Short mmCIF file of all heavy atoms in Angstrom, two decimals:
data_model
loop_
_atom_site.label_atom_id
_atom_site.label_comp_id
_atom_site.label_asym_id
_atom_site.label_seq_id
_atom_site.Cartn_x
_atom_site.Cartn_y
_atom_site.Cartn_z
N ILE A 1508 101.94 4.63 -81.11
CA ILE A 1508 102.88 5.11 -80.11
C ILE A 1508 102.40 6.46 -79.59
O ILE A 1508 101.84 7.26 -80.35
CB ILE A 1508 104.32 5.19 -80.68
CG1 ILE A 1508 105.36 5.34 -79.59
CG2 ILE A 1508 104.43 6.30 -81.72
CD1 ILE A 1508 106.79 5.08 -80.05
N GLU A 1509 102.61 6.70 -78.31
CA GLU A 1509 102.28 7.99 -77.70
C GLU A 1509 103.48 8.91 -77.86
O GLU A 1509 104.62 8.49 -77.62
CB GLU A 1509 101.97 7.82 -76.21
CG GLU A 1509 100.79 6.92 -75.92
CD GLU A 1509 99.46 7.55 -76.31
OE1 GLU A 1509 99.30 8.77 -76.17
OE2 GLU A 1509 98.58 6.80 -76.79
N ILE A 1510 103.23 10.15 -78.25
CA ILE A 1510 104.31 11.12 -78.43
C ILE A 1510 103.96 12.40 -77.68
O ILE A 1510 102.86 12.93 -77.83
CB ILE A 1510 104.54 11.43 -79.93
CG1 ILE A 1510 104.91 10.13 -80.69
CG2 ILE A 1510 105.63 12.49 -80.10
CD1 ILE A 1510 105.11 10.31 -82.17
N ASP A 1511 104.89 12.86 -76.87
CA ASP A 1511 104.67 14.06 -76.07
C ASP A 1511 105.02 15.32 -76.87
O ASP A 1511 105.89 16.10 -76.48
CB ASP A 1511 105.50 14.00 -74.78
CG ASP A 1511 104.97 12.95 -73.82
OD1 ASP A 1511 103.76 12.69 -73.82
OD2 ASP A 1511 105.78 12.38 -73.07
N ARG A 1512 104.34 15.49 -77.98
CA ARG A 1512 104.45 16.69 -78.83
C ARG A 1512 103.09 16.90 -79.47
O ARG A 1512 102.34 15.94 -79.70
CB ARG A 1512 105.50 16.52 -79.93
CG ARG A 1512 106.91 16.26 -79.47
CD ARG A 1512 107.50 17.25 -78.53
NE ARG A 1512 107.56 18.60 -79.06
CZ ARG A 1512 107.73 19.68 -78.33
NH1 ARG A 1512 107.83 19.59 -77.03
NH2 ARG A 1512 107.80 20.86 -78.90
N VAL A 1517 104.26 16.67 -84.98
CA VAL A 1517 104.49 15.29 -85.42
C VAL A 1517 104.20 15.17 -86.91
O VAL A 1517 104.96 14.54 -87.66
CB VAL A 1517 103.64 14.29 -84.59
CG1 VAL A 1517 103.73 12.89 -85.16
CG2 VAL A 1517 104.09 14.32 -83.13
N LEU A 1520 107.07 16.05 -89.18
CA LEU A 1520 108.11 15.02 -89.30
C LEU A 1520 107.79 13.98 -90.35
O LEU A 1520 108.67 13.26 -90.81
CB LEU A 1520 108.33 14.33 -87.94
CG LEU A 1520 108.85 15.22 -86.82
CD1 LEU A 1520 108.87 14.43 -85.51
CD2 LEU A 1520 110.21 15.78 -87.14
N GLN A 1529 111.44 14.13 -90.78
CA GLN A 1529 112.38 13.41 -89.92
C GLN A 1529 113.68 13.01 -90.61
O GLN A 1529 114.77 13.13 -90.05
CB GLN A 1529 111.70 12.19 -89.31
CG GLN A 1529 111.22 11.18 -90.35
CD GLN A 1529 110.60 9.96 -89.76
OE1 GLN A 1529 110.99 9.53 -88.67
NE2 GLN A 1529 109.64 9.38 -90.46
N CYS A 1602 100.06 13.45 -78.49
CA CYS A 1602 99.21 12.78 -79.46
C CYS A 1602 99.55 11.29 -79.52
O CYS A 1602 100.58 10.86 -79.02
CB CYS A 1602 99.37 13.42 -80.85
SG CYS A 1602 101.02 13.29 -81.55
N LEU A 1604 100.23 8.46 -82.39
CA LEU A 1604 100.53 8.25 -83.80
C LEU A 1604 100.28 6.77 -84.10
O LEU A 1604 100.85 5.89 -83.46
CB LEU A 1604 101.97 8.61 -84.11
CG LEU A 1604 102.43 8.37 -85.56
CD1 LEU A 1604 101.68 9.30 -86.52
CD2 LEU A 1604 103.93 8.58 -85.68
N ASP A 1634 111.06 0.21 -84.88
CA ASP A 1634 112.26 1.05 -84.88
C ASP A 1634 111.96 2.43 -85.47
O ASP A 1634 112.38 3.46 -84.93
CB ASP A 1634 113.39 0.36 -85.66
CG ASP A 1634 114.71 1.09 -85.54
OD1 ASP A 1634 115.15 1.37 -84.40
OD2 ASP A 1634 115.30 1.39 -86.59
N ALA A 1635 111.22 2.47 -86.56
CA ALA A 1635 110.90 3.75 -87.21
C ALA A 1635 110.06 4.63 -86.29
O ALA A 1635 110.32 5.85 -86.17
CB ALA A 1635 110.17 3.50 -88.52
N LEU A 1636 109.06 4.06 -85.62
CA LEU A 1636 108.23 4.86 -84.72
C LEU A 1636 109.02 5.29 -83.48
O LEU A 1636 108.82 6.40 -82.98
CB LEU A 1636 106.98 4.09 -84.32
CG LEU A 1636 105.90 3.98 -85.39
CD1 LEU A 1636 104.63 3.38 -84.81
CD2 LEU A 1636 105.59 5.32 -86.04
N THR A 1637 109.90 4.44 -83.01
CA THR A 1637 110.74 4.81 -81.87
C THR A 1637 111.61 6.00 -82.23
O THR A 1637 111.71 6.97 -81.47
CB THR A 1637 111.60 3.62 -81.41
OG1 THR A 1637 110.73 2.56 -81.01
CG2 THR A 1637 112.53 4.00 -80.27
N LYS A 1638 112.24 5.96 -83.41
CA LYS A 1638 113.08 7.08 -83.84
C LYS A 1638 112.27 8.35 -84.02
O LYS A 1638 112.71 9.44 -83.65
CB LYS A 1638 113.79 6.74 -85.15
CG LYS A 1638 114.89 5.73 -85.00
CD LYS A 1638 115.51 5.42 -86.35
CE LYS A 1638 116.53 4.33 -86.28
NZ LYS A 1638 117.11 4.03 -87.61
N LEU A 1639 111.06 8.22 -84.57
CA LEU A 1639 110.21 9.39 -84.76
C LEU A 1639 109.86 10.00 -83.40
O LEU A 1639 109.92 11.22 -83.23
CB LEU A 1639 108.96 9.00 -85.53
CG LEU A 1639 108.21 10.19 -86.11
CD1 LEU A 1639 107.71 9.87 -87.50
CD2 LEU A 1639 107.07 10.58 -85.23
N LYS A 1640 109.50 9.17 -82.43
CA LYS A 1640 109.18 9.65 -81.08
C LYS A 1640 110.39 10.35 -80.45
O LYS A 1640 110.27 11.45 -79.91
CB LYS A 1640 108.72 8.49 -80.20
CG LYS A 1640 108.44 8.88 -78.76
CD LYS A 1640 108.03 7.67 -77.93
CE LYS A 1640 107.89 7.98 -76.46
NZ LYS A 1640 106.78 8.87 -76.15
N ILE A 1641 111.55 9.72 -80.55
CA ILE A 1641 112.76 10.31 -79.98
C ILE A 1641 113.05 11.65 -80.63
O ILE A 1641 113.35 12.64 -79.94
CB ILE A 1641 113.97 9.34 -80.14
CG1 ILE A 1641 113.78 8.11 -79.24
CG2 ILE A 1641 115.28 10.05 -79.83
CD1 ILE A 1641 114.77 6.99 -79.53
N GLN A 1642 112.93 11.72 -81.96
CA GLN A 1642 113.21 12.97 -82.66
C GLN A 1642 112.20 14.05 -82.28
O GLN A 1642 112.57 15.19 -82.05
CB GLN A 1642 113.21 12.75 -84.17
CG GLN A 1642 113.67 13.98 -84.94
CD GLN A 1642 114.02 13.64 -86.38
OE1 GLN A 1642 114.32 12.50 -86.70
NE2 GLN A 1642 113.97 14.63 -87.23
N ALA A 1643 110.93 13.69 -82.20
CA ALA A 1643 109.89 14.66 -81.84
C ALA A 1643 110.10 15.22 -80.44
O ALA A 1643 109.94 16.41 -80.21
CB ALA A 1643 108.51 14.02 -81.96
N GLU A 1644 110.47 14.35 -79.51
CA GLU A 1644 110.56 14.76 -78.11
C GLU A 1644 111.94 15.30 -77.72
O GLU A 1644 112.02 16.16 -76.85
CB GLU A 1644 110.20 13.58 -77.21
CG GLU A 1644 108.74 13.16 -77.35
CD GLU A 1644 108.37 11.96 -76.49
OE1 GLU A 1644 109.24 11.41 -75.78
OE2 GLU A 1644 107.19 11.56 -76.54
N PHE A 1645 113.02 14.81 -78.36
CA PHE A 1645 114.36 15.16 -77.91
C PHE A 1645 115.29 15.70 -78.98
O PHE A 1645 116.40 16.14 -78.68
CB PHE A 1645 115.02 13.94 -77.25
CG PHE A 1645 114.22 13.37 -76.12
CD1 PHE A 1645 113.51 12.19 -76.27
CD2 PHE A 1645 114.14 14.03 -74.90
CE1 PHE A 1645 112.75 11.66 -75.24
CE2 PHE A 1645 113.39 13.51 -73.85
CZ PHE A 1645 112.69 12.33 -74.02
N GLY A 1646 114.90 15.60 -80.26
CA GLY A 1646 115.70 16.17 -81.33
C GLY A 1646 116.55 15.16 -82.09
O GLY A 1646 116.66 13.99 -81.72
N VAL A 1650 118.30 10.97 -81.71
CA VAL A 1650 118.13 9.85 -82.66
C VAL A 1650 119.49 9.32 -83.08
O VAL A 1650 119.70 8.10 -83.14
CB VAL A 1650 117.32 10.27 -83.91
CG1 VAL A 1650 117.24 9.14 -84.92
CG2 VAL A 1650 115.93 10.71 -83.52
#
Side-chain angles (χ1 to χ4, degrees):
I1508 194 166
E1509 299 290 324
I1510 300 179
D1511 290 330
R1512 300 304 300 163
V1517 172
L1520 296 174
Q1529 61 178 328
C1602 63
L1604 178 65
D1634 188 53
L1636 285 188
T1637 299
K1638 288 178 185 179
L1639 196 139
K1640 177 182 174 67
I1641 291 169
Q1642 187 165 337
E1644 294 178 359
F1645 304 105
V1650 175

